[in-house]
Short mmCIF file of all heavy atoms in Angstrom, two decimals:
data_model
loop_
_atom_site.label_atom_id
_atom_site.label_comp_id
_atom_site.label_asym_id
_atom_site.label_seq_id
_atom_site.Cartn_x
_atom_site.Cartn_y
_atom_site.Cartn_z
N TYR G 80 -6.66 3.44 -14.00
CA TYR G 80 -5.87 4.73 -14.16
C TYR G 80 -4.69 4.27 -15.06
O TYR G 80 -3.95 3.38 -14.64
CB TYR G 80 -5.46 5.18 -12.77
CG TYR G 80 -4.70 6.53 -12.83
CD1 TYR G 80 -5.29 7.72 -12.58
CD2 TYR G 80 -3.27 6.47 -13.05
CE1 TYR G 80 -4.60 8.93 -12.56
CE2 TYR G 80 -2.61 7.65 -13.09
CZ TYR G 80 -3.22 8.85 -12.86
OH TYR G 80 -2.49 10.04 -12.87
N ASP G 81 -4.52 4.92 -16.13
CA ASP G 81 -3.47 4.61 -17.08
C ASP G 81 -2.39 5.69 -16.91
O ASP G 81 -2.56 6.84 -17.32
CB ASP G 81 -4.01 4.53 -18.55
CG ASP G 81 -3.01 3.99 -19.45
OD1 ASP G 81 -1.82 4.48 -19.39
OD2 ASP G 81 -3.41 3.12 -20.25
N ILE G 82 -1.26 5.30 -16.36
CA ILE G 82 -0.24 6.28 -16.03
C ILE G 82 0.36 6.91 -17.29
O ILE G 82 0.69 8.13 -17.26
CB ILE G 82 0.86 5.61 -15.10
CG1 ILE G 82 1.46 6.63 -14.19
CG2 ILE G 82 1.92 4.95 -15.90
CD1 ILE G 82 2.21 6.04 -13.05
N LYS G 83 0.46 6.14 -18.36
CA LYS G 83 0.98 6.72 -19.64
C LYS G 83 0.10 7.79 -20.18
O LYS G 83 0.48 8.87 -20.58
CB LYS G 83 1.15 5.60 -20.68
CG LYS G 83 2.50 4.97 -20.59
CD LYS G 83 2.64 4.11 -21.84
CE LYS G 83 3.92 3.39 -21.95
NZ LYS G 83 3.94 2.32 -22.87
N LYS G 84 -1.26 7.51 -20.07
CA LYS G 84 -2.27 8.50 -20.57
C LYS G 84 -2.24 9.73 -19.67
O LYS G 84 -2.33 10.87 -20.11
CB LYS G 84 -3.59 7.88 -20.67
CG LYS G 84 -3.85 7.08 -21.94
CD LYS G 84 -5.36 6.78 -22.05
CE LYS G 84 -5.57 5.60 -23.00
NZ LYS G 84 -6.43 4.60 -22.50
N GLU G 85 -2.31 9.42 -18.39
CA GLU G 85 -2.53 10.59 -17.41
C GLU G 85 -1.24 11.41 -17.17
O GLU G 85 -1.34 12.60 -16.94
CB GLU G 85 -3.00 10.02 -16.06
CG GLU G 85 -4.26 9.19 -16.13
CD GLU G 85 -5.50 10.10 -16.34
OE1 GLU G 85 -5.51 11.23 -16.13
OE2 GLU G 85 -6.60 9.44 -16.72
N MET G 86 -0.09 10.75 -17.16
CA MET G 86 1.17 11.41 -16.86
C MET G 86 2.11 11.54 -17.97
O MET G 86 3.21 12.03 -17.81
CB MET G 86 1.83 10.79 -15.61
CG MET G 86 1.05 10.83 -14.37
SD MET G 86 1.90 10.41 -12.94
CE MET G 86 0.81 11.01 -11.66
N GLY G 87 1.77 10.87 -19.06
CA GLY G 87 2.54 11.00 -20.28
C GLY G 87 3.65 9.94 -20.47
O GLY G 87 4.21 9.80 -21.52
N ASN G 88 3.99 9.21 -19.37
CA ASN G 88 5.05 8.21 -19.45
C ASN G 88 4.76 7.03 -18.56
O ASN G 88 3.94 7.10 -17.54
CB ASN G 88 6.33 8.88 -19.02
CG ASN G 88 6.94 9.76 -20.09
OD1 ASN G 88 7.17 9.37 -21.20
ND2 ASN G 88 7.04 11.06 -19.80
N SER G 89 5.53 6.00 -18.73
CA SER G 89 5.37 4.78 -17.95
C SER G 89 6.02 5.06 -16.57
O SER G 89 6.86 6.01 -16.46
CB SER G 89 6.06 3.61 -18.60
OG SER G 89 7.48 3.76 -18.47
N MET G 90 5.77 4.15 -15.57
CA MET G 90 6.32 4.30 -14.29
C MET G 90 7.88 4.23 -14.34
O MET G 90 8.61 4.99 -13.71
CB MET G 90 5.80 3.23 -13.36
CG MET G 90 6.31 3.30 -11.95
SD MET G 90 5.82 4.88 -11.07
CE MET G 90 4.42 4.31 -10.14
N CYS G 91 8.36 3.31 -15.26
CA CYS G 91 9.80 3.12 -15.36
C CYS G 91 10.51 4.47 -15.77
O CYS G 91 11.51 4.82 -15.28
CB CYS G 91 10.19 2.09 -16.39
SG CYS G 91 9.86 0.45 -15.86
N TYR G 92 9.77 5.07 -16.80
CA TYR G 92 10.40 6.37 -17.35
C TYR G 92 10.36 7.41 -16.27
O TYR G 92 11.38 8.07 -16.06
CB TYR G 92 9.57 6.81 -18.57
CG TYR G 92 10.10 8.03 -19.19
CD1 TYR G 92 11.00 7.97 -20.23
CD2 TYR G 92 9.77 9.31 -18.70
CE1 TYR G 92 11.55 9.13 -20.79
CE2 TYR G 92 10.28 10.47 -19.25
CZ TYR G 92 11.19 10.30 -20.28
OH TYR G 92 11.70 11.50 -20.82
N LEU G 93 9.22 7.52 -15.56
CA LEU G 93 9.09 8.59 -14.53
C LEU G 93 10.19 8.38 -13.44
O LEU G 93 10.87 9.33 -13.01
CB LEU G 93 7.73 8.55 -13.88
CG LEU G 93 6.57 8.94 -14.75
CD1 LEU G 93 5.25 8.69 -14.04
CD2 LEU G 93 6.61 10.45 -15.12
N ARG G 94 10.35 7.13 -13.02
CA ARG G 94 11.30 6.85 -12.09
C ARG G 94 12.67 7.17 -12.41
O ARG G 94 13.50 7.70 -11.65
CB ARG G 94 11.18 5.28 -11.67
CG ARG G 94 11.68 4.89 -10.34
CD ARG G 94 12.14 3.46 -10.44
NE ARG G 94 13.23 3.32 -11.35
CZ ARG G 94 13.44 2.34 -12.20
NH1 ARG G 94 12.55 1.38 -12.30
NH2 ARG G 94 14.49 2.28 -12.98
N ASN G 95 13.04 6.76 -13.65
CA ASN G 95 14.38 7.08 -14.17
C ASN G 95 14.69 8.56 -14.21
O ASN G 95 15.74 9.05 -13.80
CB ASN G 95 14.57 6.54 -15.57
CG ASN G 95 15.10 5.12 -15.58
OD1 ASN G 95 15.96 4.84 -14.73
ND2 ASN G 95 14.59 4.31 -16.46
N ALA G 96 13.63 9.26 -14.68
CA ALA G 96 13.77 10.74 -14.79
C ALA G 96 13.97 11.37 -13.41
O ALA G 96 14.84 12.24 -13.20
CB ALA G 96 12.56 11.34 -15.42
N ILE G 97 13.17 10.82 -12.37
CA ILE G 97 13.27 11.39 -11.04
C ILE G 97 14.68 11.05 -10.42
O ILE G 97 15.27 11.92 -9.74
CB ILE G 97 12.13 10.76 -10.14
CG1 ILE G 97 10.81 11.40 -10.52
CG2 ILE G 97 12.44 10.87 -8.66
CD1 ILE G 97 9.63 10.71 -10.03
N GLN G 98 15.17 9.85 -10.70
CA GLN G 98 16.48 9.55 -10.17
C GLN G 98 17.67 10.33 -10.69
O GLN G 98 18.72 10.42 -10.04
CB GLN G 98 16.73 8.00 -10.34
CG GLN G 98 15.96 7.25 -9.24
CD GLN G 98 16.02 5.72 -9.42
OE1 GLN G 98 16.06 5.23 -10.54
NE2 GLN G 98 16.05 4.99 -8.34
N THR G 99 17.45 10.91 -11.85
CA THR G 99 18.51 11.78 -12.39
C THR G 99 18.40 13.18 -11.80
O THR G 99 19.28 13.98 -11.97
CB THR G 99 18.51 11.80 -13.92
OG1 THR G 99 17.22 12.18 -14.35
CG2 THR G 99 18.91 10.47 -14.47
N ASN G 100 17.27 13.43 -11.13
CA ASN G 100 17.08 14.69 -10.44
C ASN G 100 17.81 14.66 -9.09
O ASN G 100 17.97 13.72 -8.50
CB ASN G 100 15.58 14.90 -10.09
CG ASN G 100 14.81 15.70 -11.07
OD1 ASN G 100 15.38 16.24 -11.93
ND2 ASN G 100 13.49 15.66 -10.89
N GLU G 101 18.11 15.86 -8.71
CA GLU G 101 18.78 16.01 -7.35
C GLU G 101 17.93 15.42 -6.23
O GLU G 101 18.38 14.71 -5.40
CB GLU G 101 18.99 17.45 -7.07
CG GLU G 101 20.35 17.87 -6.62
CD GLU G 101 20.48 19.35 -6.45
OE1 GLU G 101 20.73 20.03 -7.62
OE2 GLU G 101 20.16 19.81 -5.46
N ASN G 102 16.53 15.81 -6.36
CA ASN G 102 15.67 15.41 -5.25
C ASN G 102 15.41 13.91 -5.15
O ASN G 102 15.04 13.44 -4.11
CB ASN G 102 14.33 16.06 -5.50
CG ASN G 102 14.31 17.50 -5.23
OD1 ASN G 102 15.18 17.95 -4.46
ND2 ASN G 102 13.46 18.29 -5.80
N GLY G 103 15.70 13.19 -6.27
CA GLY G 103 15.31 11.76 -6.20
C GLY G 103 16.51 10.83 -6.12
O GLY G 103 16.36 9.63 -6.04
N LYS G 104 17.72 11.47 -6.06
CA LYS G 104 18.91 10.67 -6.11
C LYS G 104 19.03 9.67 -4.96
O LYS G 104 19.42 8.54 -5.17
CB LYS G 104 20.12 11.59 -6.07
CG LYS G 104 20.53 12.02 -7.46
CD LYS G 104 22.04 12.19 -7.61
CE LYS G 104 22.34 12.55 -9.05
NZ LYS G 104 22.48 13.98 -9.38
N GLU G 105 18.61 10.06 -3.80
CA GLU G 105 18.83 9.17 -2.68
C GLU G 105 17.74 8.12 -2.56
O GLU G 105 17.83 7.21 -1.73
CB GLU G 105 18.90 10.01 -1.39
CG GLU G 105 17.64 10.39 -0.65
CD GLU G 105 16.79 11.46 -1.22
OE1 GLU G 105 17.12 11.95 -2.44
OE2 GLU G 105 15.86 11.89 -0.68
N LEU G 106 16.73 8.25 -3.40
CA LEU G 106 15.61 7.30 -3.33
C LEU G 106 15.71 6.07 -4.16
O LEU G 106 16.11 6.15 -5.32
CB LEU G 106 14.28 8.04 -3.66
CG LEU G 106 13.71 8.89 -2.54
CD1 LEU G 106 12.39 9.54 -2.98
CD2 LEU G 106 13.51 8.15 -1.23
N LYS G 107 15.37 4.92 -3.60
CA LYS G 107 15.34 3.67 -4.34
C LYS G 107 14.12 3.61 -5.24
O LYS G 107 13.11 4.30 -4.94
CB LYS G 107 15.39 2.50 -3.41
CG LYS G 107 16.53 2.50 -2.43
CD LYS G 107 17.78 2.07 -3.07
CE LYS G 107 18.92 1.89 -2.08
NZ LYS G 107 20.11 2.67 -2.33
N ASN G 108 14.17 2.75 -6.17
CA ASN G 108 13.01 2.59 -7.12
C ASN G 108 11.68 2.43 -6.43
O ASN G 108 10.69 3.09 -6.76
CB ASN G 108 13.23 1.34 -7.97
CG ASN G 108 14.44 1.40 -8.89
OD1 ASN G 108 15.01 2.50 -8.93
ND2 ASN G 108 14.67 0.42 -9.62
N CYS G 109 11.65 1.46 -5.52
CA CYS G 109 10.32 1.15 -4.88
C CYS G 109 9.81 2.34 -4.06
O CYS G 109 8.64 2.50 -3.97
CB CYS G 109 10.43 -0.07 -3.97
SG CYS G 109 10.98 -1.49 -4.89
N ALA G 110 10.66 3.11 -3.44
CA ALA G 110 10.26 4.21 -2.64
C ALA G 110 9.60 5.31 -3.53
O ALA G 110 8.54 5.92 -3.25
CB ALA G 110 11.47 4.87 -1.87
N ILE G 111 10.24 5.54 -4.72
CA ILE G 111 9.68 6.55 -5.62
C ILE G 111 8.32 6.02 -6.19
O ILE G 111 7.34 6.85 -6.19
CB ILE G 111 10.71 6.72 -6.90
CG1 ILE G 111 11.98 7.35 -6.43
CG2 ILE G 111 10.00 7.55 -8.00
CD1 ILE G 111 13.01 7.55 -7.45
N CYS G 112 8.27 4.83 -6.55
CA CYS G 112 7.03 4.19 -7.10
C CYS G 112 5.94 4.35 -5.97
O CYS G 112 4.80 4.66 -6.31
CB CYS G 112 7.35 2.75 -7.35
SG CYS G 112 6.04 1.97 -8.27
N GLY G 113 6.33 4.09 -4.68
CA GLY G 113 5.36 4.16 -3.60
C GLY G 113 4.78 5.55 -3.46
O GLY G 113 3.58 5.71 -3.30
N VAL G 114 5.65 6.58 -3.58
CA VAL G 114 5.13 7.96 -3.45
C VAL G 114 4.13 8.27 -4.53
O VAL G 114 3.10 8.86 -4.32
CB VAL G 114 6.36 8.92 -3.51
CG1 VAL G 114 5.83 10.42 -3.59
CG2 VAL G 114 7.23 8.83 -2.33
N ILE G 115 4.54 7.93 -5.76
CA ILE G 115 3.67 8.22 -6.88
C ILE G 115 2.30 7.49 -6.78
O ILE G 115 1.26 8.04 -7.01
CB ILE G 115 4.37 7.82 -8.25
CG1 ILE G 115 5.63 8.68 -8.44
CG2 ILE G 115 3.41 8.08 -9.51
CD1 ILE G 115 6.47 8.35 -9.66
N LYS G 116 2.36 6.16 -6.44
CA LYS G 116 1.14 5.39 -6.35
C LYS G 116 0.20 6.00 -5.21
O LYS G 116 -0.97 6.13 -5.45
CB LYS G 116 1.42 4.03 -5.97
CG LYS G 116 1.91 3.10 -7.21
CD LYS G 116 2.17 1.67 -6.68
CE LYS G 116 3.00 0.90 -7.63
NZ LYS G 116 3.64 -0.25 -7.02
N LYS G 117 0.76 6.36 -4.12
CA LYS G 117 -0.08 6.88 -2.99
C LYS G 117 -0.71 8.20 -3.39
O LYS G 117 -1.89 8.39 -3.09
CB LYS G 117 0.82 7.09 -1.76
CG LYS G 117 0.86 5.89 -0.85
CD LYS G 117 1.58 6.29 0.48
CE LYS G 117 2.26 5.15 1.07
NZ LYS G 117 3.36 5.48 1.94
N TRP G 118 0.02 9.00 -4.09
CA TRP G 118 -0.53 10.31 -4.55
C TRP G 118 -1.70 10.10 -5.48
O TRP G 118 -2.73 10.68 -5.35
CB TRP G 118 0.66 11.06 -5.23
CG TRP G 118 0.31 12.45 -5.67
CD1 TRP G 118 0.48 13.61 -4.87
CD2 TRP G 118 -0.24 12.89 -6.92
NE1 TRP G 118 0.08 14.76 -5.61
CE2 TRP G 118 -0.33 14.31 -6.89
CE3 TRP G 118 -0.51 12.29 -8.07
CZ2 TRP G 118 -0.80 15.11 -7.98
CZ3 TRP G 118 -1.00 13.00 -9.15
CH2 TRP G 118 -1.13 14.43 -9.12
N ILE G 119 -1.48 9.17 -6.44
CA ILE G 119 -2.50 8.87 -7.40
C ILE G 119 -3.73 8.33 -6.73
O ILE G 119 -4.90 8.74 -6.90
CB ILE G 119 -2.05 7.84 -8.52
CG1 ILE G 119 -0.95 8.44 -9.40
CG2 ILE G 119 -3.25 7.40 -9.36
CD1 ILE G 119 -0.33 7.48 -10.32
N MET G 120 -3.52 7.30 -5.81
CA MET G 120 -4.57 6.67 -5.18
C MET G 120 -5.47 7.63 -4.34
O MET G 120 -6.72 7.58 -4.41
CB MET G 120 -4.11 5.60 -4.18
CG MET G 120 -3.69 4.31 -4.80
SD MET G 120 -3.09 3.32 -3.44
CE MET G 120 -1.86 2.37 -4.27
N ASN G 121 -4.83 8.49 -3.58
CA ASN G 121 -5.61 9.44 -2.77
C ASN G 121 -6.44 10.35 -3.62
O ASN G 121 -7.60 10.58 -3.35
CB ASN G 121 -4.67 10.18 -1.85
CG ASN G 121 -5.41 11.00 -0.77
OD1 ASN G 121 -6.15 10.40 0.08
ND2 ASN G 121 -5.29 12.29 -0.86
N ARG G 122 -5.83 10.82 -4.68
CA ARG G 122 -6.48 11.79 -5.57
C ARG G 122 -7.63 11.21 -6.31
O ARG G 122 -8.72 11.75 -6.38
CB ARG G 122 -5.40 12.35 -6.59
CG ARG G 122 -5.71 13.67 -7.18
CD ARG G 122 -4.46 14.06 -7.96
NE ARG G 122 -4.76 15.18 -8.80
CZ ARG G 122 -4.37 16.41 -8.54
NH1 ARG G 122 -3.68 16.66 -7.42
NH2 ARG G 122 -4.56 17.41 -9.39
N GLU G 123 -7.41 9.96 -6.82
CA GLU G 123 -8.44 9.31 -7.64
C GLU G 123 -9.56 8.81 -6.78
O GLU G 123 -10.75 8.86 -7.14
CB GLU G 123 -7.85 8.17 -8.44
CG GLU G 123 -6.86 8.63 -9.51
CD GLU G 123 -7.45 9.68 -10.50
OE1 GLU G 123 -8.49 9.40 -11.02
OE2 GLU G 123 -6.82 10.74 -10.63
N ALA G 124 -9.21 8.38 -5.54
CA ALA G 124 -10.27 7.78 -4.58
C ALA G 124 -11.25 8.92 -4.26
O ALA G 124 -12.40 8.64 -4.09
CB ALA G 124 -9.59 7.23 -3.35
N ARG G 125 -10.73 10.09 -4.13
CA ARG G 125 -11.63 11.21 -3.79
C ARG G 125 -12.70 11.53 -4.85
O ARG G 125 -13.71 11.99 -4.56
CB ARG G 125 -10.79 12.49 -3.54
CG ARG G 125 -10.42 12.75 -2.18
CD ARG G 125 -10.05 14.19 -1.87
NE ARG G 125 -9.48 14.98 -2.87
CZ ARG G 125 -8.17 15.13 -3.12
NH1 ARG G 125 -7.31 14.54 -2.30
NH2 ARG G 125 -7.74 15.83 -4.08
N LYS G 126 -12.26 11.14 -6.14
CA LYS G 126 -13.20 11.52 -7.25
C LYS G 126 -14.35 10.49 -7.30
O LYS G 126 -15.32 10.71 -7.99
CB LYS G 126 -12.37 11.39 -8.61
CG LYS G 126 -11.36 12.45 -8.75
CD LYS G 126 -10.74 12.42 -10.09
CE LYS G 126 -9.50 13.29 -10.20
NZ LYS G 126 -8.67 12.89 -11.37
N ILE G 127 -14.15 9.28 -6.70
CA ILE G 127 -15.19 8.25 -6.69
C ILE G 127 -16.12 8.50 -5.53
O ILE G 127 -15.71 8.65 -4.41
CB ILE G 127 -14.50 6.82 -6.68
CG1 ILE G 127 -13.53 6.69 -7.72
CG2 ILE G 127 -15.63 5.75 -6.73
CD1 ILE G 127 -12.63 5.47 -7.58
N HIS G 128 -17.41 8.49 -5.90
CA HIS G 128 -18.38 8.90 -4.89
C HIS G 128 -18.39 7.93 -3.69
O HIS G 128 -18.49 6.74 -3.86
CB HIS G 128 -19.77 8.97 -5.51
CG HIS G 128 -20.85 9.34 -4.58
ND1 HIS G 128 -20.93 10.69 -4.06
CD2 HIS G 128 -21.76 8.61 -3.92
CE1 HIS G 128 -21.91 10.68 -3.21
NE2 HIS G 128 -22.44 9.55 -3.08
#
Side-chain angles (χ1 to χ4, degrees):
Y80 183 97
D81 189 314
I82 211 164
K83 270 190 177 164
K84 275 193 203 136
E85 304 284 343
M86 297 195 165
N88 285 299
S89 73
M90 184 62 101
C91 287
Y92 182 93
L93 292 172
R94 201 208 63 221
N95 269 324
I97 286 168
Q98 279 174 326
T99 53
N100 264 349
E101 229 175 274
N102 287 338
K104 274 214 175 95
E105 86 285 9
L106 281 182
K107 304 283 190 236
N108 295 355
C109 300
I111 293 175
C112 190
V114 170
I115 299 176
K116 282 180 196 160
K117 270 190 210 159
W118 185 90
I119 295 172
M120 280 180 213
N121 191 60
R122 205 174 167 101
E123 296 304 307
R125 267 204 327 269
K126 293 183 190 163
I127 304 168
H128 181 71

